Amino acid sequence: MTAPENTGRRFHAYTIRHLEELLQRAPLTEDQRLRTRAVASVLPFRTNAYVVDELIDWERPFEDPMFRLVFPTEDMLPAEDIDHIAGLLKADAPKQEVTAAANVIRFKLNPHPAGQLQLNVPKEGEESIPGLQHKYRETVLFFPQQGQTCHAYCTYCFRWAQFVGIADLKMANNDVEQLTGYVRDHPEVSSVLLTGGDPMIMGEPVLRRYIEPLLEMDHVESVRIGSKALAYWPQRFVSDPDAEDTLRLFERVVDSGRNLAFMAHFSHQKELESDIVREAVRRIRSTGAVIRTQAPLIRTINDDADQWAGMWRTQHKLGMIPYYMFIERDTGPQDYFSVPLWRAWEIYRDAFSQVSGLCRTVRGPSMSATPGKVAVDGVVEIGEEKVFSLRMLQARNPGIVGRPFYAKFDENAVWIDDLKPAFADKFPFE
Ligand SMILES: *Cc1c(COP(=O)(O)O)cnc(C)c1O
Ligand code: SF4
């Protein structure tokens, strides 16, 4: 087999220290560069040579969704906040002073949406188990400590607070026995999802320590890995030193009679184009693993029905299964990235209507909110009233899954908290 062009390149992360140099490629004035640096002092920034060289169009960076996906831009935060940080940077203020000012802004951006830190962490006796979330009966989430970073960061990431160090590592755990022990003690759990960050940032020997014990438990039917590595570093499955071992590990999961579900995050068609991503997909599939795809709908990045239809078609053609379209969560630069709920539903429907039934495995647009996953099924008129038709795809309380309910139409609503119940005095989850 001939090796794709990018093989052999070793992973190396670019961080805020490299930002100045990377931005030399973009036609920015000095003041714009300073303001970009100011945004990057508040929101996380990390990228790598594959993303920079293969995904971004440096001729027209400001019109390029891939640029906005990884590079902070000054419109992502309120101008007065940027003025303040830019002023400090310009005056060469001490690092602690910049961090303190950045933290004030960060805490205005709802860093812990959906009560993640308090609500879903299970207890064993009196002790809560860090790095574990058990929200829906069947599925447990692991946050392995070594997997709490990514090959590049998305500017819209809902876990951004972790990457800037204000959500601390309460969310993570490297006690494999504690994590897997919880699953062993809970026979109702049929699916374990490794998440992060990106678990594929871990080398195979570490990944294996989290996965192998699960293969000894009869009630575990599937192991899922949530990852954006196919988009940001497909070398992980092709040319990295542990690529082969990783594929063999996936194979062992499949050979044990379980489903290895690789939950791939793709935000844009451009991420599906390179030879190496296609080769990586082929290799993962050759292990018997199933790749399902998901992404949030983001203003200025993929808020377009043809974009989604194109992604689903290409994914399907490459043997992947479209799974979720999410609505951007109520955190971080949500004001910049959010799409109104009525518009999100229109985009979903217009994209859905363009693709064959084989792509219509995708669900959404869905909000991962405190009570569960809420899908916007449509905007309808019932009697005299214009309403949103909603449905729980997942809920803490399984009894309310799948039942339609309604909210008053609101053209500005971008999240479940903006909605008021219709034909009832409360929502089913209240
Ligand atoms: C989405 C999600 C899951 C998985 O839900 P599925 O519908 O089975 O994909 C599990 N736990 C949490 C906290 C989630 O947000
Ligand atoms: S890959 Fe996922 S966890 Fe990592 S920055 Fe993007 S959205 Fe966040």
Side-chain angles (χ1 to χ4, degrees), residues 21-76:
E21 195 188 323
L22 291 167
L23 290 175
Q24 296 294 338
R25 300 208 203 179
L28 287 163
T29 64
E30 198 167 326
D31 185 53
Q32 285 172 316
R33 270 209 288 279
L34 176 70
R35 298 177 70 78
T36 303
R37 228 163 21 98
V39 181
S41 307
V42 176
L43 301 174
F45 172 73
R46 182 175 161 99
T47 187
N48 67 63
Y50 172 76
V51 172
V52 167
D53 295 338
E54 323 263 331
L55 301 186
I56 292 175
D57 175 7
W58 291 100
E59 300 282 308
R60 274 181 240 92
F62 305 116
E63 287 130 66
D64 179 18
M66 291 294 98
F67 181 81
R68 276 194 301 279
L69 175 63
V70 290
F71 279 82
T73 55
E74 58 173 309
D75 36 12
M76 290 177 189

Side-chain angles (χ1 to χ4, degrees), residues 120 133 135-136 139-141 193 224 263 323-324 326 329 363 368 373 393-394:
N120 306 315
Q133 279 184 23
K135 183 169 178 177
Y136 308 129
T139 309
V140 154
L141 271 58
L193 169 56
R224 307 195 217 185
M263 313 303 290
Y323 189 53
Y324 265 126
F326 291 116
R329 291 202 196 198
R363 301 185 292 175
S368 288
K373 283 188 170 64
L393 298 174
Q394 277 288 10

Side-chain angles (χ1 to χ4, degrees), residues 244-421:
E244 280 302 319
D245 289 344
T246 302
L247 297 169
R248 298 293 82 78
L249 175 64
F250 289 4
E251 224 162 59
R252 282 217 300 290
V253 176
V254 175
D255 289 347
S256 78
R258 291 173 177 79
N259 187 356
L260 177 72
F262 192 94
M263 313 303 290
H265 173 185
F266 286 111
S267 319
H268 195 275
Q269 290 183 81
K270 201 141 169 211
E271 297 168 335
L272 293 158
E273 283 169 5
S274 73
D275 290 341
I276 192 159
V277 67
R278 291 177 181 217
E279 174 63 14
V281 167
R282 202 193 60 73
R283 289 186 185 213
I284 294 173
R285 292 190 61 235
S286 76
T287 67
V290 175
I291 307 176
R292 292 180 186 266
T293 61
Q294 53 190 17
L297 170 62
I298 304 290
R299 193 178 73 84
T300 75
I301 292 181
N302 59 19
D303 54 336
D304 172 69
D306 293 348
Q307 181 57 239
W308 283 88
M311 273 202 284
W312 294 337
R313 270 204 298 266
T314 306
Q315 289 162 2
H316 164 249
K317 193 168 70 174
L318 300 176
M320 299 185 270
I321 303 174
Y323 189 53
Y324 265 126
M325 175 200 271
F326 291 116
I327 288 171
E328 169 69 348
R329 291 202 196 198
D330 54 340
T331 180
Q334 191 207 19
D335 293 342
Y336 178 74
F337 287 126
S338 61
V339 175
L341 296 179
W342 65 268
R343 179 71 192 132
W345 167 66
E346 265 188 12
I347 291 172
Y348 174 83
R349 186 203 54 192
D350 288 351
F352 198 77
S353 66
Q354 290 180 39
V355 296
S356 105
L358 294 173
C359 296
R360 292 188 186 166
T361 45
V362 65
R363 301 185 292 175
S366 165
M367 291 175 267
S368 288
T370 310
K373 283 188 170 64
V374 184
V376 180
D377 280 338
V379 175
V380 284
E381 276 191 41
I382 298 179
E384 298 283 280
E385 205 169 349
K386 192 171 177 185
V387 295
F388 286 111
S389 173
L390 306 167
R391 181 168 50 112
M392 303 299 298
L393 298 174
Q394 277 288 10
R396 268 169 214 293
N397 166 9
I400 62 172
V401 170
R403 298 177 199 275
F405 62 101
Y406 302 93
K408 297 198 162 76
F409 180 76
D410 177 345
E411 68 174 350
N412 298 315
V414 298
W415 195 248
I416 185 82
D417 297 358
D418 303 329
L419 298 178
K420 301 262 182 305

Side-chain angles (χ1 to χ4, degrees), residues 149-150 152-154 156-160 163 196-198 227-228 232 265:
T149 181
C150 308
Y153 289 150
C154 312
Y156 61 63
C157 180
F158 69 98
R159 295 207 170 119
W160 64 277
F163 307 139
D198 193 322
S227 173
K228 198 168 168 67
Y232 282 161
H265 173 185

Side-chain angles (χ1 to χ4, degrees), residues 29-247:
T29 64
E30 198 167 326
D31 185 53
Q32 285 172 316
R33 270 209 288 279
L34 176 70
R35 298 177 70 78
T36 303
R37 228 163 21 98
V39 181
S41 307
V42 176
L43 301 174
F45 172 73
R46 182 175 161 99
T47 187
N48 67 63
Y50 172 76
V51 172
V52 167
D53 295 338
E54 323 263 331
L55 301 186
I56 292 175
D57 175 7
W58 291 100
E59 300 282 308
R60 274 181 240 92
F62 305 116
E63 287 130 66
D64 179 18
M66 291 294 98
F67 181 81
R68 276 194 301 279
L69 175 63
V70 290
F71 279 82
T73 55
E74 58 173 309
D75 36 12
M76 290 177 189
L77 292 175
E80 66 271 18
D81 289 337
I82 302 180
D83 291 343
H84 182 50
I85 303 275
L88 293 173
L89 293 175
K90 196 161 187 176
D92 253 329
K95 193 160 179 290
Q96 307 92 290
E97 203 177 321
V98 178
T99 306
N103 281 343
V104 172
I105 300 167
R106 287 165 179 163
F107 280 106
K108 291 193 283 186
L109 300 172
N110 187 23
H112 307 304
Q116 284 199 76
L117 285 189
Q118 308 82 25
L119 286 178
N120 306 315
V121 180
K123 291 194 164 172
E124 198 148 65
E126 285 303 293
E127 286 281 292
S128 59
I129 307 175
L132 206 128
Q133 279 184 23
H134 190 183
K135 183 169 178 177
Y136 308 129
R137 193 174 49 197
E138 297 78 16
T139 309
V140 154
L141 271 58
F142 280 8
F143 293 79
Q145 182 116 45
Q146 300 89 337
Q148 297 311 306
T149 181
C150 308
H151 293 98
Y153 289 150
C154 312
T155 42
Y156 61 63
C157 180
F158 69 98
R159 295 207 170 119
W160 64 277
Q162 248 180 271
F163 307 139
V164 295
I166 59 168
D168 67 41
L169 290 175
K170 275 200 203 80
M171 290 264 290
N173 194 342
N174 63 3
D175 186 338
V176 177
E177 180 41 42
Q178 196 178 32
L179 293 174
T180 56
Y182 180 85
V183 178
R184 194 177 295 114
D185 294 343
H186 288 80
E188 75 278 18
V189 173
S190 59
S191 186
V192 175
L193 169 56
L194 274 72
T195 182
D198 193 322
M200 295 315 302
I201 201 88
M202 297 189 283
E204 187 273 342
V206 182
L207 193 60
R208 174 160 35 103
R209 282 177 38 219
Y210 288 96
I211 290 180
E212 265 179 347
L214 300 173
L215 307 185
E216 307 296 320
M217 301 174 204
D218 287 343
H219 60 288
V220 175
E221 296 165 10
S222 61
V223 176
R224 307 195 217 185
I225 299 177
S227 173
K228 198 168 168 67
L230 277 172
Y232 282 161
W233 191 251
Q235 287 81 349
R236 179 68 185 79
F237 311 96
V238 179
S239 56
D240 273 7
D242 56 349
E244 280 302 319
D245 289 344
T246 302
L247 297 169

